[in-house]
Amino acid sequence: MDLIQLLFVIIGLLLGSFLNVCISRIPLCKSVIFPRSVCPSCSQQIKFYDNIPVISFVFLGGRCRLCKARISWQYPVVEILTGTIFWITYLTYGAQVRSFILLMFFSSLIVLIFIDLNERILPNIITLPGILLGTACSFWISIDDPTGLFVLKNLGISEQLEWRVSFTNSLLGIFLCGGFFWIVAGIYLYLKKSEGMGGGDIKLIGMIGGFLGVKLGFLTIMIGSILGTLIGLSFIKIMNKDIKYELPFGSFLGGAAIVSALWGQQIISWYSNVVNSIRIQGF
Ligand SMILES: [Zn+2]
């Protein structure tokens, strides 16, 4: 690991510590900047040397220095996860504008993943600005997706400027991925007379489509649904929960979006190779 890699990991760990604050305060509608963090048990302010990512948790044996109450495992997990994602993003895209935009996207997703896991909500205060941000960023980094070009050609717009194609891809991502969820949610509501997918999920997939475009947006839906079904149903079986137990679908979508953004193109070409080789073998 060279110096720049180490720097990305350290920034990731420190930002992860801030994301923990967002995860616990945003659902309570509290400021994420003031006041300084306190122990949820004894309400004593946490000293800066007890707030060093991962290290303090290990050093304190996972307990508050003053009242010895257990500190949630979620704190070091979020910090390590953020540090690792920062590292992988640097290894994949280097120190470019694309990496910084992706890291902003991933950080918002990490907050949403854990809020949905804890509270079963996906706050508008993250998803709505996220949709706008994804669209704004499409001007800087080009979204590589054939859908935008196809639509522009069929609209009779012949001059293909890179930003125009990318911006079209972002808009199509928001409306096609979000629209798909909106229709599925509507059908579910009509058939089952109960809400299966909330408005939060629709806005989240809209945000993901806005950053990644239609192709990777739908890949996210596919991976998220597979993960949700496999992990969710195993969890219900192992923990003996009711089949109607509400699963955090947003958490699965968030995780799937990170995977799609980092390895989506590889997954799609791997999949089409498998399909082609099956075809050649004559099945
Ligand atoms: Zn305490």
Side-chain angles (χ1 to χ4, degrees), residues 25-194:
R25 291 191 189 173
I26 289 175
L28 305 171
C29 297
K30 281 189 189 165
S31 159
V32 295
I33 301 165
F34 297 110
R36 291 199 40 187
S37 297
V38 295
C39 163
S41 274
C42 64
S43 302
Q44 290 289 323
Q45 203 174 76
I46 298 164
K47 296 273 185 290
F48 74 92
Y49 50 80
D50 285 342
N51 217 354
I52 303 163
V54 189
I55 296 170
S56 294
F57 185 87
V58 174
F59 189 73
L60 293 168
R63 290 177 185 277
C64 168
R65 181 187 291 276
L66 299 158
C67 72
K68 305 290 172 208
R70 276 208 173 282
I71 304 167
S72 166
W73 55 269
Q74 201 178 288
Y75 290 92
V77 165
V78 168
E79 287 156 0
I80 292 171
L81 184 70
T82 313
T84 311
I85 288 175
F86 268 58
W87 189 31
I88 296 174
T89 305
Y90 171 72
L91 289 179
T92 314
Y93 293 108
Q96 300 183 45
V97 183
R98 185 177 292 273
S99 300
F100 293 103
I101 290 175
L102 279 177
L103 289 175
M104 220 158 45
F105 177 51
F106 294 159
S107 302
S108 327
L109 288 175
I110 292 171
V111 174
L112 288 167
I113 288 170
F114 283 89
I115 290 181
D116 199 29
L117 205 59
N118 295 340
E119 319 278 344
R120 298 295 186 276
I121 51 166
L122 294 162
N124 283 342
I125 198 160
I126 308 173
T127 51
L128 293 180
I131 293 173
L132 290 178
L133 194 68
T135 311
C137 289
S138 71
F139 287 101
W140 278 289
I141 55 160
S142 163
I143 300 174
D144 177 27
D145 191 319
T147 327
L149 204 60
F150 175 80
V151 169
L152 285 175
K153 268 187 186 156
N154 280 286
L155 287 173
I157 299 165
S158 52
E159 197 194 352
Q160 305 306 347
L161 301 168
E162 195 178 330
W163 65 264
R164 189 185 283 159
V165 177
S166 180
F167 178 64
T168 310
N169 274 323
S170 176
L171 290 184
L172 287 169
I174 296 168
F175 289 106
L176 293 183
C177 297
F180 174 72
F181 263 33
W182 184 68
I183 292 169
V184 171
I187 293 172
Y188 189 94
L189 190 65
Y190 178 76
L191 293 176
K192 300 256 180 171
K193 309 279 179 244
S194 75

